[in-house]
Amino acid sequence: MGLSRLAALHGVATSYSPSPDVTVSVPDDTVIAVLAALGVDAGTPADVRKCLVAAESRSRLLPPTVVVWAGEPLPPALAGLPPGSTVTVEPEPAETPGHLAGRPPAPLSMRSRAAAPAAPVTRPPGTAPGSGTSASAAPAASPLAAPGATASASAAPLAAPDTATASAPAWWIPPPHGVHRIHVRTPDHRRATAVLIAAPARVPQPPERSHGFLVQLYSLLSARSWGMGDLGDLADLAGWAGRTLGSGFVQVNPLHAAVPGRPTDPSPYRPSSRRFPDPVHLHVESIPEYGHVRDRATLDDLRQDAAALSEAVLNKGALIDRDAVWELKRQALELVVEVPLTPGRRAAYCDFLAEQGQALEDHALWCALAEVHGPDWHTWPEALRDPRSPGTARARAELLDRVDFHCRLAWLTATQLAAAQRSAEDAGMGIGIVHDLAVGVHPAGADTWAQQDAFAPSMSVGAPPDAFNARGQDWGLPPWRPDVLAATGYAAYRGLLRGLLARAGALRIDHVMGLFRLWWVPEGRPPTDGTYVTYDAEAMLAVLALEAHRAGAVVVGEDLGTVEPGVREALARRGVLGTSVLWFERDWEGGGRPLAPEKWRRDCLATATTHDLPSTAARLTGDHVTLRHRLGLLTRSLEEELTEDATDTAEWLALLARLRMLPEGDGDEEAAVRAVHRFLLRTPARMTGVWLPDTVGDRRPQNLPGTWDQYPNWRLPIADPEGHPVTLEEITASPRLHALMEVLRPRKPHTAPPGERRP
């Protein structure tokens, strides 16, 4: 009982329900291990009692982070303060992603000395909650104000419990959107300070209904690619799709920095850093300094080698070789960065360094150290495992040129990301590039080295057992500690979002349920022995809403699979769009039949498939079942699986026929693919996504969950129905693509209701 109480106080589940009528108990050893990762010693009953007494006797006037939503009631932490309490709000200091490195910030009072002083507003002694006293009626210099107060905004939190459903009281002066510091002093002289997140009520919404492409960028090779798709190809695709097809967006896979090595982990969902993009995506020839490299012969040789890589992929059946691509680009970039920057370019680079600050320096230093000591910082000399040690400072000085090299690459990649978004906007796209945020990072990468205190040691994120995977899943991604996030005002999370959203029209969040809870698996244990750890979803959503509002960006959450009750509703309330995939949309309460288009939710991105699922052609033909059979992944006989799959497909085709979306009749694969997208367009979904390989009949999934070396995950170029790779130029000229896109081509503008446009 004591262990359960202690676990509950720290957000650690001791049981979970995989279905409404089933409850599974979590092993005590798991709970103890997870608590240890949170800095709580529960190894013995005596330890549990000691920690429980300490936790229950600890009284906080305010939690570490407090959230206030625009136009909504004050949170209980503020509404419940004693009458006569003095509340002072310090305004947000100037922040950039570089300042948000995940460490406790310097005291805001020290960072905001230039702010104009303002007296705090107090709740008048004896005034009852809800009495209607306004802040403006308070004297300019309240006698209860702390001497020398430096706040430039302040308010008295006077919402009473019986006003919980009303707007905030009139005497509450809402601070501007931002991350502030709030100080409280009670009449009995207790004091507290916390981070105050003042967030808009919702994230920006799409300006209109639109369609767009979903693509894994590496798979999109053009005639000029260096063996894999790059940011030049992305800009070209966006410009063409916006102008020619009226598309509103292009969604790509995570472009986060990968962990170097041979072979590099090809999965874009297990990066070294989510804060910074990978320079392997650079289009080298688009860098202005490229044309001024003196050693043209070496550049020409590298370009020929790159052409040979592309030739092997496109015409000889080779897989995309990220390591080979990076080796050629690295050599070329070494020559490019030797070219002096023009004054204007130098100024822009310096601005980028100042904007990114310590976070970029840490990332670049990790990259430089990895070149010398290998990509796993746990194996480095002990002095270098601490990014703040004297030994690391000496290494930084010794490797200054390499640190600058990696900083320069981060800047070049950021500029090409921005160029891709500009290309999309110039082509008339209402959203533009939709970037993807992976759920976590590699345990040996740059983020875990630079932000060690923020990650739970010896833990991995995964998923519990379910109907699709009885053994559960371990993704090999260390989780953020919710207590450290709260104590630091979610600085690491804020910096991550701000960096990603700076050059995006929208952000897709993989496994968006992770904003609420994550399945932690202790090291050395099977995923079945994990448990859920809760995060402060209010704070996570508030930071998301704040940063998306600042960037004017739409947010899409990948909410497929097992979703805790209330999560989708909470996300919808904050304007986060969901993800709806056709084959999973069934009326489960009405017999499990395919869900009629008018019953789909409006606030979602509707698609026929994703990178983890079969292409539409493979789904319609049953090819995905035979593929899994060849790889030994089926749990039943091939005949049983094919029969069930054919029944499922037939139900959908019958619905399409009844809705007169399949005039060509059954048996025409291309017509069926078009009918599927006619159906998606009939739903009220705000965004309709077209898997780019579907436009040319590709039958191969980009990733086949449950496989590692049995299938070439994340290494396939887009191909035609026969498996022959096709280039960007061939895709855009494809009659099959144009016939499909005629289904989605906008006939007339369809604007969103007033107030729904992005700022």
Side-chain angles (χ1 to χ4, degrees):
M1 185 64 178
L3 182 62
S4 296
R5 285 166 55 202
L6 184 63
L9 288 172
H10 292 87
V12 180
T14 54
S15 66
Y16 67 97
S17 298
S19 60
D21 56 343
V22 176
T23 299
V24 179
S25 295
V26 175
D28 285 353
D29 287 350
T30 295
V31 176
I32 292 169
V34 171
L35 285 171
L38 293 170
V40 180
D41 184 1
T44 67
D47 292 329
V48 171
R49 288 192 294 271
K50 179 180 178 181
C51 291
L52 195 56
V53 169
E56 292 181 334
S57 63
R58 193 181 304 125
S59 176
R60 290 189 63 98
L61 187 58
L62 291 177
T65 298
V66 179
V67 173
V68 292
W69 296 97
E72 297 186 13
L74 295 179
L78 296 181
L81 289 173
S85 295
T86 302
V87 176
T88 305
V89 176
E90 276 187 82
E92 178 182 42
E95 282 187 329
T96 67
H99 296 135
L100 306 176
R103 295 182 297 282
L108 295 185
S109 60
M110 299 295 293
R111 295 167 62 185
S112 57
R113 290 176 176 171
V121 176
T122 66
R123 174 175 172 174
T127 302
S131 63
T133 303
S134 69
S136 60
S142 168
L144 297 180
T150 59
S152 63
S154 57
L158 302 179
D162 61 358
T163 63
T165 59
S167 297
W171 52 81
W172 167 254
I173 304 175
H177 297 329
V179 181
H180 313 292
R181 205 67 151 180
I182 185 168
H183 306 276
V184 171
R185 185 181 65 184
T186 65
D188 59 358
H189 305 297
R190 287 184 295 155
R191 296 175 182 268
T193 297
V195 173
L196 177 68
I197 302 174
R202 287 166 62 83
V203 304
Q205 299 297 287
E208 58 187 5
R209 287 194 69 190
S210 63
H211 71 265
F213 289 120
L214 319 177
V215 62
Q216 299 282 291
L217 181 56
Y218 58 83
S219 71
L220 181 67
L221 281 73
S222 70
R224 64 182 187 177
S225 300
W226 286 40
M228 62 181 279
D230 57 41
L231 292 171
D233 298 322
L234 176 59
D236 206 25
L237 174 66
W240 169 80
R243 289 184 169 87
T244 305
L245 305 174
S247 300
F249 62 91
V250 174
Q251 177 183 301
V252 295
N253 55 286
L255 304 182
H256 310 317
V259 177
R262 281 191 171 273
T264 299
D265 185 343
S267 172
Y269 291 92
R270 201 164 181 248
S272 169
S273 174
R274 296 186 295 174
R275 288 288 301 270
F276 297 99
D278 198 311
V280 76
H281 299 112
L282 281 168
H283 180 243
V284 180
E285 292 98 321
S286 294
I287 300 171
E289 289 74 37
Y290 178 89
H292 300 279
V293 171
R294 292 183 178 180
D295 189 353
R296 305 306 301 180
T298 299
L299 272 187
D300 290 343
D301 289 343
L302 292 171
R303 188 65 189 89
Q304 289 181 10
D305 290 343
L309 278 181
S310 291
E311 169 71 13
V313 171
L314 295 171
N315 297 315
K316 298 180 180 178
L319 299 175
I320 292 171
D321 188 342
R322 181 193 183 101
D323 296 324
V325 172
W326 173 238
E327 180 57 27
L328 294 178
K329 288 191 176 182
R330 183 195 60 77
Q331 293 181 52
L333 291 167
E334 298 277 5
L335 298 174
V336 168
V337 300
E338 290 178 358
V339 177
L341 295 171
T342 64
R345 297 261 300 160
R346 168 62 62 181
Y349 178 44
C350 290
D351 282 351
F352 180 78
L353 293 175
E355 175 188 282
Q356 301 300 321
Q358 185 70 56
L360 176 58
E361 186 176 335
D362 286 343
H363 175 72
L365 178 57
W366 182 91
C367 293
L369 289 169
E371 291 176 337
V372 178
H373 301 288
D376 185 351
W377 62 266
H378 299 91
T379 66
W380 293 355
E382 188 171 354
L384 301 180
R385 297 175 198 171
D386 179 359
R388 307 291 164 243
S389 73
T392 301
R394 288 191 295 271
R396 181 184 292 106
E398 294 166 359
L399 297 171
L400 194 57
D401 286 347
R402 298 307 299 168
V403 172
D404 182 66
F405 174 72
H406 291 289
C407 285
R408 182 84 71 89
L409 298 192
W411 172 59
L412 293 173
T413 311
T415 59
Q416 290 196 5
L417 285 168
Q421 177 62 13
R422 285 196 303 273
S423 177
E425 292 172 346
D426 291 346
M429 285 190 168
I431 295 175
I433 308 301
V434 182
H435 287 284
D436 198 351
L437 173 61
V439 71
V441 294
H442 195 287
D447 282 2
T448 57
W449 177 73
Q451 303 172 19
Q452 292 176 40
D453 292 343
F455 289 93
S458 303
M459 291 288 148
S460 177
V461 173
D466 57 28
F468 299 98
N469 194 328
R471 293 173 294 182
Q473 300 176 56
D474 184 342
W475 301 332
L477 308 169
W480 265 337
R481 286 181 54 167
D483 56 332
V484 174
L485 285 177
T488 57
Y490 294 82
Y493 181 48
R494 284 187 278 140
L496 169 61
L497 291 177
R498 193 171 300 183
L500 285 170
L501 290 166
R503 298 160 189 90
L507 181 66
R508 173 192 181 269
I509 301 179
D510 191 44
H511 193 70
V512 72
M513 297 82 78
L515 300 182
F516 296 77
R517 65 178 185 176
L518 284 172
W519 184 258
W520 287 24
V521 181
E523 186 177 36
R525 299 177 187 270
T528 51
D529 285 354
T531 190
Y532 281 112
V533 175
T534 300
Y535 291 76
D536 185 345
E538 279 287 286
M540 300 288 275
L541 286 171
V543 171
L544 177 62
L546 174 62
E547 296 301 336
H549 174 79
R550 286 170 162 169
V554 174
V555 179
V556 179
E558 185 270 295
D559 57 352
L560 304 174
T562 302
V563 183
E564 186 181 10
V567 167
R568 287 196 175 104
E569 293 77 7
L571 293 169
R573 182 184 180 195
R574 299 304 170 197
V576 177
L577 305 185
T579 301
S580 294
V581 177
L582 180 131
W583 310 101
F584 302 152
E585 292 295 315
R586 288 179 171 271
D587 183 5
W588 299 111
E589 297 180 358
R593 295 182 180 85
L595 192 65
E598 66 273 9
K599 293 185 178 181
W600 283 43
R601 53 182 168 170
R602 173 176 179 264
D603 295 326
C604 74
L605 165 64
T607 71
T609 189
T610 73
H611 58 267
D612 282 332
L613 296 173
S615 70
T616 305
R619 172 78 69 171
L620 291 167
T621 58
D623 282 5
H624 67 112
V625 177
T626 56
L627 171 62
R628 294 179 65 83
H629 173 68
R630 288 199 305 271
L631 298 176
L633 300 176
L634 299 183
T635 57
R636 298 180 297 174
S637 70
L638 176 61
E639 291 72 18
E640 288 177 293
E641 294 279 356
L642 284 172
T643 298
E644 181 178 291
D645 183 71
T647 300
D648 181 86
T649 301
E651 285 187 321
W652 279 103
L653 290 174
L655 176 59
L656 296 175
R658 287 198 303 273
L659 295 174
R660 299 182 179 180
M661 295 181 180
L662 190 55
E664 299 87 349
D666 196 3
D668 186 331
E669 175 196 307
E670 288 189 46
V673 173
R674 291 194 295 270
V676 163
H677 289 85
R678 286 191 187 99
F679 182 95
L680 293 177
L681 199 64
R682 181 79 65 87
T683 73
R686 304 288 294 274
M687 298 169 65
T688 301
V690 180
W691 179 235
L692 189 60
D694 273 350
T695 66
V696 290
D698 198 344
R699 282 170 161 70
R700 306 173 303 175
Q702 282 295 316
N703 177 52
L704 190 58
T707 64
W708 177 245
D709 56 359
Q710 307 100 309
Y711 186 80
N713 296 316
W714 318 114
R715 289 172 288 171
L716 292 171
I718 297 174
D720 64 18
E722 287 71 43
H724 301 140
V726 290
T727 64
L728 171 60
E729 293 82 0
E730 292 168 331
I731 292 171
T732 58
S734 166
R736 179 167 178 157
L737 177 144
H738 286 278
L740 173 59
M741 298 312 294
E742 275 298 313
V743 171
L744 296 166
R745 191 186 301 275
R747 296 297 188 269
K748 61 180 180 179
H750 180 95
T751 57
E756 291 290 312
R757 287 189 173 276
R758 292 165 59 200

